[in-house]
Structures are given as C-alpha cells and as structure tokens.
C-alpha cells in the first residue's frame, strides 16, 4: 500500500496578523480538508499592539492547526522567544528553536534555522553565525547514508538562488539573501526550502542536487519564498503541498527529474564563477533534534568541531536516577520476577495489580522520565515493542490501548492494556475516554494523525497520553491536579472492560507465587512474537 502523503501548509511573514492567517487556514481546511501542520517562516511577530497575541497566549483564541514558527529576526521581537531551544508559545503554536532538526513520527525531517545572518561572534540573539551553520551541517551530513532532508526552513532567502532559474522578480538574488543559507542548502539538499522577509512570492524552478554524468541522480530541491500575510498586493503568502517522507519513498521515485529542472544555483555564483565558500567549522553548544530517530528529540552538538574524531559517537548514557528507582532494570528495587522480556534498550514487565493477566508495561532499561525525553535508539525499540504487542494481542482477538501519565512519576511506564474485541470497538474506547474526561473537566484533545507526543509536549512538561489500536492519539496537558488512576478508571469502567472494582491497582495485587505463574505463562505465549530472539 502506498504511503499516504502528509498535507502541509507553509506561510511567510505573519507580522502579528494572527487572525488574518488563521481565518484563512480555517477557510482552506473547510474547502479542502484538514492539513497536518502549518510551518511559518520570516517574522511571526510584528511591531503592532500585543492585544491580538494575548488572546492566543491566554487561550481565548486558538490556532486551528498545529503551527511551528521560527524565531526573532530583530531585537524588538526577541522578547517573545524565551527559550533558545524552542518552547510552546500558545496552544497549538510552537517555537522550534534557534536551529536544529525536528523529526515527526511519520519520519518527516524538518531542519530549521532562525534569525538573520551575522558574521560576528557571538551572534546577536536574533541572528545565526557561520559556526551555527557549520555545526548544523556537520551534525546532519555526517549521519550514516545521508541523502538529504525533506524540508528546510529559514527566514532569509539563500543568496544566488535565482541563478540558472526563472526570474525572481524585484528581488536581486545576487545582492539579497544569505550566503550562509546557500551553503546550508547546498549541504542539506532539502526537497523543499521555504523563506520569507523580502515581501515577495517566488517559486523557483526545481534544481538538481547532482552533477549530470558525474554523479548518481539525486532528488531535486524546490525553493519557495512567501510574501507577508494580508499584503495589499495580494501576493501569495500561504503555500499548500503534499509530501511523503523521504525515508518512506521508493528510491527510483525519489530521484525522478521533472522536465523543467535546472542546474544547482549554489555550486558556483553566477557573477564570479567561484564556489560559494563554506562557513568555518567550529564547535557549538546549541541543541538539535536528532535526525536519526523516529520521533523528535534534542541532543547537544557540543564538541563536534573540525578536530572531532571521525569515528561515530557512542550513544549517550541515559541520565541516572537521583535515588532508588523501582523501574531501572539495574536497580535492586525492581521486582525482577515480573519481567517477561528484555531488549537492548527496553524491557517488558507485567503490571503489578494489572487490569488483566496480560496487562504489561514497556519500560526503558535506563532512567528516562517520559516518552518525550527518550533517546533515538530507545524510541526505536519502544515502537518495535508496541508493534509486536499489537500483533501478539491481535492473534488473541484483542486490541491494544496504550497510555502514559507523566505526572507524579519518575520513570517512564508505558501501560499496554489488551481489550477483547468482543467487549467494544475502538470508537467506543475513544468515546469512553473523552466522555469521562469531560465529566471530570479534563480537556482531552485528539492529536493529528501524523503528529506525535514530542511535537506537542516539551521535556519536563506534565501530561497524560492515550494511543488507540488504530493509531489515534488523545492528549491532555496537566496544569494543576490530575487523577492518578484516570487511565485505569476509564478502561475498567462498564463501557469497556466492566471491572470497576479493579480501577485501583492496590486492590488487585496478587501473591508473588501467582505473579510468577502469570509471568511464566506470558513469556511462553509471547515467545513466537519475540523479536529479541532474532538479534
């Protein structure tokens, strides 16, 4: 089955015209159906009054789609971006950060670079330096079998982008734009590159990322510059497109060359014939989202300079718990008789006082507090366990419900509860969660199909998260108090398992001998599905 494309929107300078933008997005979605993400480049905030923004910041108004924005391009708007590593600005509106890579659960890779070019060190808060660009290129291009990225977001245009291409209108690309951005685009080979700031719309002809007859064919890049929102000339400021993540595409399909493809504008500047110089390589302490993983996570690029070892860096050890932990596998506190399977980075254990005999937990071997904080290799194995458990329970005519409560807990416990197909349909489970949430005044929101928890919550944030067998996901951002047994209470209710007496795990505890018997039985039943035996 062909991979379903993601439907995205890209936007130019918003300049504080939030109502104009989001009303337009609502109109588009009403006419053409829902989109997965909105990506904003250029100046998101303007020099106008903050009255309109306060309505979004305080929740009076809400963006109709998950929106990701770049940071400040001038000193006046730095105040809106409190955390250089990215943060939530308002509900459904997230600042990506100074620079880095965001990777969604679909595998879509988005590289972002906030600010304008500066040759000074250190660069102002609203600018990027040669070292910033160099470290970003080094981190990404050094990954195994690197082919390019799906999307690049920058506010400035790349210098010389108009060379060998169609006319860029009133913008002289030999004089305007950033040579550092050109260098970044050359190295990262994005399939789509979006920019703004020039108050002009320009969709360049696609260009090659390989030299004909000298290199194997590679995918093309499409550069699109977008105008400012609500401009009187009615220049295009919103761009809709569909994309299948590069990593999921057939190689032959990926490198197909359109008939209007041109030469790469950055290999040599049109005016001098000289190669665009790469920025000087130096180390940096900025953080990045890791491209090598299935979900987006941040890691430091510190130490990756020109003198760094050419050998791959060993995976970083997970953080150690501040004290005794009941769930770190190496801890003496772990009740090891409940452990039913051990992988490289994760393990499975029967839940103590489980809702059923096959209620299990997926837990990281090292100490991680939540899914949001997992490293690349741990995320990959968590996903493998989830897929395997779904197959296992499906063979027993059951469906999976997974939930995580990152609140008053110190070690990630991903609860996996099987629900017999004879009990209820997936829609009934979803309705039960939403209904009981409403009764307890809990705002349980549905996450878009191709989004994931790391796109919604920042590390350290408290939340409750449910994932259904269909892949549908429900999310609640915990702001104050939250009922600790909420997930169990919903599943134990009459609407689903009809065992309300088991809503508190402490009322369901068994003797150690009974637990050992259940664990032995689960291990034997699970063995035909055990992917760790293949390693």
């Amino acid at each position: 089955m062909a991979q379903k494309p993601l439907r995205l929107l890209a936007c130019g300078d918003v300049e504080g015209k939030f109502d104009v933008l989001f009303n337009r997005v609502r109109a588009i979605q009403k006419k053409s159906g829902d989109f997965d993400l909105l990506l904003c480049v250029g100046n998101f905030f303007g020099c106008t009054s903050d009255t309109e923004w306060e309505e979004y910041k305080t929740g009076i108004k809400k963006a109709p789609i998950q929106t990701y924005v770049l940071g400040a391009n001038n000193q006046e708007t730095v105040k809106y971006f409190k955390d250089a590593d990215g943060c939530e600005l308002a509900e459904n509106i997230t600042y990506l950060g100074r620079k880095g890579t965001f990777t969604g659960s679909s595998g879509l890779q988005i590289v972002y670079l906030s600010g304008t070019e500066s040759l000074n060190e250190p660069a102002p808060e609203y600018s990027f330096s040669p070292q910033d660009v160099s470290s970003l290129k080094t981190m990404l291009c050094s990954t195994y079998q690197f082919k390019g990225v799906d999307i690049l977001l920058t506010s400035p245009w790349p210098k010389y982008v108009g060379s060998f291409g169609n006319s860029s209108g009133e913008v002289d690309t030999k004089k305007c734009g950033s040579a550092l951005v050109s260098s970044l685009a050359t190295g990262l080979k994005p399939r789509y590159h979006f920019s703004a700031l020039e108050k002009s719309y320009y969709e360049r002809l696609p260009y090659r990322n390989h030299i004909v007859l000298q290199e194997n064919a590679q995918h093309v890049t499409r550069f699109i510059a977008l105008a400012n929102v609500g401009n009187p000339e009615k220049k295009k400021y919103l761009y809709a497109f569909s994309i299948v993540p590069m990593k999921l595409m057939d190689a032959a399909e990926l490198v197909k060359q359109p008939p209007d493809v041109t030469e790469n504008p950055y290999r040599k500047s049109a005016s001098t014939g000289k190669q665009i110089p790469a920025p000087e390589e130096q180390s940096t302490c900025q953080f990045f989202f890791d491209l090598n993983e299935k979900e987006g996570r941040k890691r430091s690029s510190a130490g990756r300079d020109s003198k760094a070892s050419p050998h791959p860096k060993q995976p970083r050890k997970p953080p150690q718990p501040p004290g005794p932990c009941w769930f770190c596998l190496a801890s003496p506190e772990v009740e090891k008789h409940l452990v039913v399977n051990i992988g490289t980075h994760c393990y499975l254990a029967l839940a103590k006082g489980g809702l059923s005999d096959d209620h299990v937990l997926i837990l990281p071997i090292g100490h991680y507090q939540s899914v949001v904080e997992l490293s690349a290799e741990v995320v990959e194995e968590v996903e493998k366990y989830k897929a395997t458990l779904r197959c296992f329970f499906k063979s027993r005519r059951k469906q999976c419900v997974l939930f995580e409560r990152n609140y008053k807990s110190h070690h990630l416990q991903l609860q996996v509860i099987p629900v017999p197909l004879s009990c209820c349909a997936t829609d009934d489970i979803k309705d039960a969660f939403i209904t009981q949430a409403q009764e307890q005044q809990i705002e349980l929101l549905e996450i878009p199909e191709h989004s994931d928890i790391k796109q919604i919550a920042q590390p350290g944030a408290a939340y409750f998260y449910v994932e259904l067998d269909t892949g549908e996901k429900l999310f609640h951002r915990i702001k104050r108090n939250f009922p600790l047994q909420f997930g169990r209470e919903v599943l134990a209710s009459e609407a689903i398992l009809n065992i309300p007496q088991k809503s508190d795990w402490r009322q369901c505890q068994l003797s150690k001998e009974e637990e050992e018997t259940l664990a032995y039985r689960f291990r034997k039943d699970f063995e035909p599905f055990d992917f760790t035996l293949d390693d």
Side-chain angles (χ1 to χ4, degrees):
M1 182 182 294
Q3 175 68 29
K4 184 180 177 181
L6 296 165
R7 304 181 72 227
L8 308 185
L9 290 168
C11 179
D13 305 87
V14 180
E15 296 182 334
K17 297 179 181 178
F18 308 112
D19 287 346
V20 175
L21 169 62
F22 293 133
N23 287 338
R24 178 63 179 150
V25 170
R26 288 187 185 94
I28 290 173
Q29 293 199 125
K30 185 176 181 180
K31 180 180 179 181
S32 305
D34 289 343
F35 283 76
D36 296 292
L37 298 173
L38 169 61
L39 308 172
C40 295
V41 294
N43 294 313
F44 188 66
F45 295 96
C47 300
T48 55
S49 169
D50 284 347
T51 304
E52 192 170 311
W53 172 242
E54 282 298 316
E55 292 181 312
Y56 289 88
K57 188 177 179 180
T58 57
I60 296 174
K61 293 181 178 178
K62 176 182 171 182
I65 183 174
Q66 190 61 48
T67 302
Y68 292 94
V69 309
L70 295 184
N73 297 297
N74 52 63
Q75 186 62 53
E76 290 73 19
T77 56
V78 167
K79 62 182 180 181
Y80 296 103
F81 305 95
K82 305 295 185 183
D83 188 346
D85 295 329
C87 59
E88 184 180 71
L89 301 178
E91 189 172 355
N92 272 3
I93 303 175
T94 301
Y95 164 46
L96 286 166
R98 290 284 297 274
K99 63 182 185 293
T101 302
F102 182 83
T103 306
S105 59
S106 63
L108 187 76
Q109 299 172 343
I110 303 174
V111 178
Y112 54 89
L113 180 66
S114 292
T116 55
E117 179 178 311
S118 172
L119 300 180
N120 298 322
E121 284 291 340
E125 291 177 275
Y126 55 87
S127 298
F128 55 84
S129 68
Q131 288 72 29
D132 290 329
V133 171
S134 177
S135 61
L136 187 52
K137 286 174 62 179
T138 301
M139 163 119 7
L140 299 173
C141 298
S142 62
T143 57
Y144 180 63
Q145 292 186 336
F146 177 77
K147 295 180 180 178
V149 300
D150 290 306
I151 299 172
L152 174 61
L153 304 177
T154 65
S155 287
W157 290 32
K159 200 168 187 178
Y160 309 119
V161 68
S163 301
F164 312 125
N166 49 315
S167 172
S168 54
E170 65 268 28
V171 179
D172 185 350
T173 61
K174 295 178 185 177
K175 298 178 180 178
C176 295
S178 164
L180 291 178
V181 172
S182 302
S183 174
L184 185 63
T186 302
L188 299 189
K189 304 173 186 176
R191 294 167 64 200
Y192 284 88
H193 180 181
F194 294 96
S195 297
L197 295 185
E198 300 295 340
K199 301 187 183 301
S200 181
Y201 170 70
Y202 173 47
E203 184 171 2
R204 190 200 186 280
L205 293 173
Y207 65 80
R208 297 186 185 93
N209 283 299
H210 65 280
I211 301 175
V212 179
L213 302 179
Q214 295 184 35
E215 298 175 328
N216 292 331
Q218 299 179 40
H219 61 272
V220 301
T221 293
R222 289 174 168 83
F223 172 76
I224 297 102
L226 294 162
N228 48 312
V229 170
N231 65 86
E233 297 84 8
K234 299 191 181 301
K235 296 177 182 177
K236 189 169 183 175
Y237 64 83
L238 205 55
Y239 185 93
F241 66 109
S242 297
I243 184 171
V244 174
M246 181 186 296
K247 64 191 297 183
L248 301 180
M249 289 188 67
D250 175 77
E253 187 68 26
L254 177 64
V255 301
K256 277 186 177 178
Q257 305 292 297
D260 56 350
V261 67
T262 77
E263 291 299 326
N264 190 309
Y266 312 127
R267 291 190 183 276
K268 291 183 178 180
S269 70
S271 58
T272 64
K274 296 179 181 179
Q275 194 78 24
I276 294 176
E280 181 183 354
E281 298 237 348
Q282 288 190 17
S283 63
T284 177
C285 292
Q286 178 66 31
F287 284 81
F288 299 88
F289 281 96
D290 190 351
L291 262 182
N292 294 324
E293 62 189 272
K294 207 164 188 179
E295 315 284 348
R297 112 178 140 82
K298 292 186 178 181
R299 67 180 180 186
S300 173
S301 67
R304 284 178 175 259
D305 57 12
S306 57
K307 298 179 181 179
S309 168
H311 302 293
K313 190 175 181 180
Q314 294 299 314
R316 184 178 63 184
K317 291 183 179 180
Q320 298 303 305
C325 178
W326 289 97
F327 299 104
C328 287
L329 191 57
S331 170
E333 280 77 17
V334 170
E335 296 193 55
K336 291 186 170 58
H337 67 283
L338 293 173
V339 177
V340 293
N341 191 266
I342 302 177
T344 306
H345 307 288
C346 302
Y347 70 98
L348 289 183
L350 285 184
K352 196 168 186 67
L355 282 167
S356 62
D357 292 348
D358 44 7
H359 175 175
V360 294
L361 309 177
I362 303 174
L363 305 113
I365 291 173
H367 189 75
Y368 293 91
Q369 182 171 328
S370 69
V371 165
V372 175
E373 298 176 10
L374 293 180
S375 64
E377 58 273 9
V378 184
V379 167
E380 184 176 357
E381 194 162 274
V382 165
E383 292 299 319
K384 207 167 185 179
Y385 267 121
K386 284 162 64 173
T388 303
L389 286 168
R390 286 193 178 100
C391 291
F392 170 64
F393 288 124
K394 185 178 181 181
S395 73
R396 304 169 78 83
R397 297 192 57 74
K398 298 179 180 181
Q399 57 185 311
C400 270
V401 179
L402 298 90
F403 72 81
E404 177 199 359
R405 186 198 75 233
N406 184 32
Y407 173 70
K408 293 190 176 181
S409 60
H410 300 288
H411 190 114
L412 167 63
Q413 304 160 54
L414 191 57
Q415 308 271 346
V416 185
I417 300 92
V419 177
L421 294 174
S422 58
C423 283
C424 56
T426 304
D427 284 346
D428 296 327
I429 298 173
K430 180 180 176 181
D431 290 344
F433 270 100
I434 293 173
T435 299
Q436 293 202 35
Q438 290 173 342
E439 290 175 355
Q440 300 188 47
Q441 296 184 325
I442 296 170
E443 188 178 21
L444 200 57
L445 303 175
E446 186 167 358
I447 300 175
E449 181 181 352
H450 298 290
S451 299
D452 64 81
I453 187 67
K454 292 190 175 188
Q455 294 173 283
I456 309 299
Q458 295 293 326
Y463 62 84
F464 175 80
Y465 166 73
V466 184
E467 185 172 339
L468 305 178
D469 211 41
T470 56
E472 293 175 285
K473 302 161 191 174
L474 304 172
F475 173 82
H476 170 66
R477 182 179 290 100
I478 300 173
K479 298 177 181 178
R480 294 183 182 86
N481 296 322
F482 184 80
L484 299 182
Q485 305 297 332
F486 177 72
R488 283 184 66 109
E489 289 171 356
V490 175
L491 291 166
S493 68
E494 293 181 2
I496 303 179
L497 292 173
N498 195 21
I499 47 173
Q501 71 277 11
K502 289 191 172 185
S503 60
D504 188 336
W505 70 272
R506 290 166 294 192
Q507 306 302 318
C508 309
Q509 293 189 72
L510 304 174
S511 67
K512 184 175 180 180
E513 291 72 21
E514 290 173 313
E515 290 174 339
E516 287 175 338
T517 300
L518 291 179
Y520 174 79
R521 187 184 306 161
F522 187 94
R523 291 188 200 103
K524 295 296 290 183
D525 292 342
F526 187 69
E527 188 173 350
F529 298 84
D530 186 0
F531 65 85
T532 66
L533 299 178
D534 300 330
D535 295 339

